[in-house]
Amino acid sequence: MVSKNTKDEKKNIMGTPKNFVVPVLLLMLKDWNAHGYELMQKLIQFGFSSIDQGNVYRILRQLEKDQLVTSEWNTSTDGPAKRIYSITNAGVDYLQVWADSLGQYQKMLNQFFNMYSQFFVPPGFSLGSEDEADEDQDDSEEKTDNQ
């Protein structure tokens, strides 16, 4: 069944898997505690093209309600107090579940691209090693020179 191509559908097709920001946030908190703004900057560096600030804070609050992260106010720096987030043991366990799931997803993606490359690789293009490609190039040059 083919659905209508709406703007939202195109955005989802071109975007990341649903809720992918959750495991990325947990992974970022695995090695260091951070406040929301730092996490948003790291998400952008990770490759998220646009970050909705309000959504990130909602996700962090939900992760805290689910006891996957904890937070406390840091008042030791100049300026306003900042909420610092940390991953919990339950968060580490949940991150492992995500990693396992994404590993399965990666296998499916690999299969997809293996099949895709069979149909859409230009003729004469080799998916083998560079050495094989160099040998093929040398062979074709020899044939051209001999003719």
Side-chain angles (χ1 to χ4, degrees):
M1 178 178 171
V2 177
S3 62
K4 293 186 228 173
N5 249 347
T6 66
K7 190 175 184 179
D8 289 339
E9 286 174 338
K10 284 182 183 178
K11 185 177 178 182
N12 286 338
I13 289 171
M14 301 305 286
T16 56
K18 186 177 180 181
N19 298 325
F20 185 57
V21 72
V22 170
V24 174
L25 284 169
L26 292 173
L27 184 60
M28 289 175 179
L29 290 170
K30 180 75 174 95
D31 286 331
W32 53 278
N33 303 332
H35 59 79
Y37 182 76
E38 287 175 315
L39 290 168
M40 283 184 266
Q41 294 302 310
K42 292 286 186 185
L43 287 171
I44 291 168
Q45 290 173 0
F46 188 85
F48 287 89
S49 57
S50 63
I51 300 294
D52 177 352
Q53 236 179 333
N55 192 39
V56 171
Y57 284 109
R58 279 188 293 278
I59 291 169
L60 288 168
R61 278 193 302 275
Q62 186 60 50
L63 290 173
E64 193 166 16
K65 284 180 186 176
D66 295 340
Q67 299 181 345
L68 302 176
V69 301
T70 60
S71 71
E72 56 185 46
W73 287 104
N74 179 2
T75 57
S76 65
T77 60
D78 291 339
K82 296 177 182 174
R83 189 173 288 275
I84 303 294
Y85 295 91
S86 306
I87 193 168
T88 63
N89 289 336
V92 172
D93 293 343
Y94 190 67
L95 178 58
Q96 183 61 53
V97 170
W98 261 100
D100 293 343
S101 177
L102 289 171
Q104 290 298 316
Y105 188 58
Q106 179 67 48
K107 287 178 185 176
M108 290 173 34
L109 286 173
N110 290 342
Q111 288 179 350
F112 171 84
F113 283 112
N114 285 335
M115 287 179 65
Y116 181 86
S117 67
Q118 292 173 8
F119 296 110
F120 295 103
V121 174
F125 181 79
S126 173
L127 292 176
S129 70
E130 287 183 30
D131 294 335
E132 290 175 17
D134 290 342
E135 288 174 16
D136 291 344
Q137 180 65 29
D138 292 342
D139 290 343
S140 66
E141 287 176 2
E142 276 183 36
K143 288 177 186 174
T144 305
D145 291 342
N146 291 334
Q147 291 178 0

